[in-house]
Amino acid sequence: MELSATGKVILGMLAAAPRSGYEIKQLVDKSARFFWAASYGQIYPELKRLEKAGLIKGSDGSHGARQRTVFKLTAKGRRAAEEWIESAALIFELRDEGLLKLFFANTIEPERAAEIARERAAISRAKAAELREIWEAVDQADGPEGPPSEPDIGSLSVLRYGIESSEWTAQWFERAAEDLERVRAGTVLASRGR
């Protein structure tokens, strides 16, 4: 069975622990959404598809009147998750609306292009700050005041990647804004390869 993008994140989340669809979405929103988002509209149909394929099994996890299905990997699902996680990454997709807007900047007023780049830089700075807060929360969770915490090295590495790439992206968009302003003023051609 070919795993969809959402199937991959679900199998990865269930490889760590059994979860409901709601719990998967909450965990995605707190972690993977920074690089691999999934909506409820994607998660619930994919849970049904994965269960039909025999990769996961749902069981009643209801408490009181609230209905809840908790899913866990089957042996076949664990093998599929391990095979996918251990295999070479085949997908690298970067979707950045700020880059797309700059790509088409020649179709708008020239002064607006630099503003778009600065707006995108601000978004990256805010994302880096948000990720740094997560890093500090993880750091404090294992301190004398917080509960014990043992985040895995993979998650911490991805978090560090997010911080560093967001900081770099903010710097790049600031440089792009400066270049766009210089080009607009006619003082220099756009820098190449900088």
Side-chain angles (χ1 to χ4, degrees), residues 93-102 120 124 169 173:
E93 181 179 285
L94 173 64
R95 297 183 82 167
D96 186 317
E97 191 175 8
L99 284 175
L100 187 61
K101 287 180 176 191
L102 285 183
R120 181 57 181 80
S124 282
T169 300
F173 274 102

Side-chain angles (χ1 to χ4, degrees), residues 7-19 24 27 55-56 71-74 77-85:
K8 291 172 183 175
V9 77
I10 289 171
L11 288 186
M13 294 294 180
L14 294 179
R19 293 173 166 56
I24 291 168
L27 189 54
L55 299 179
I56 64 174
F71 295 92
K72 68 178 185 177
L73 293 179
T74 62
R78 182 150 308 276
R79 281 191 307 276
E82 289 173 358
E83 286 173 12
W84 169 70
I85 293 168

Side-chain angles (χ1 to χ4, degrees), residues 67-177:
Q67 289 195 339
R68 179 177 165 221
T69 302
V70 175
F71 295 92
K72 68 178 185 177
L73 293 179
T74 62
K76 181 179 174 182
R78 182 150 308 276
R79 281 191 307 276
E82 289 173 358
E83 286 173 12
W84 169 70
I85 293 168
E86 292 174 359
S87 68
L90 301 176
I91 298 173
F92 176 78
E93 181 179 285
L94 173 64
R95 297 183 82 167
D96 186 317
E97 191 175 8
L99 284 175
L100 187 61
K101 287 180 176 191
L102 285 183
F103 187 78
F104 296 117
N106 65 327
T107 65
I108 61 173
E109 294 296 321
E111 58 274 0
R112 181 66 183 118
E115 291 172 5
I116 289 170
R118 287 222 160 76
E119 290 164 1
R120 181 57 181 80
I123 290 168
S124 282
R125 279 193 300 277
K127 182 177 177 182
E130 182 180 2
L131 294 173
R132 282 202 177 280
E133 286 177 14
I134 293 169
W135 185 274
E136 290 170 13
V138 168
D139 231 13
Q140 291 172 356
D142 206 21
E145 304 294 318
S149 173
E150 292 187 31
D152 64 276
I153 190 64
S155 296
L156 289 175
S157 295
V158 171
L159 180 56
R160 187 175 65 235
Y161 169 85
I163 293 166
E164 292 175 9
S165 67
S166 294
E167 290 171 343
W168 180 88
T169 300
Q171 293 168 358
W172 185 91
F173 274 102
E174 282 296 338
R175 285 193 311 270

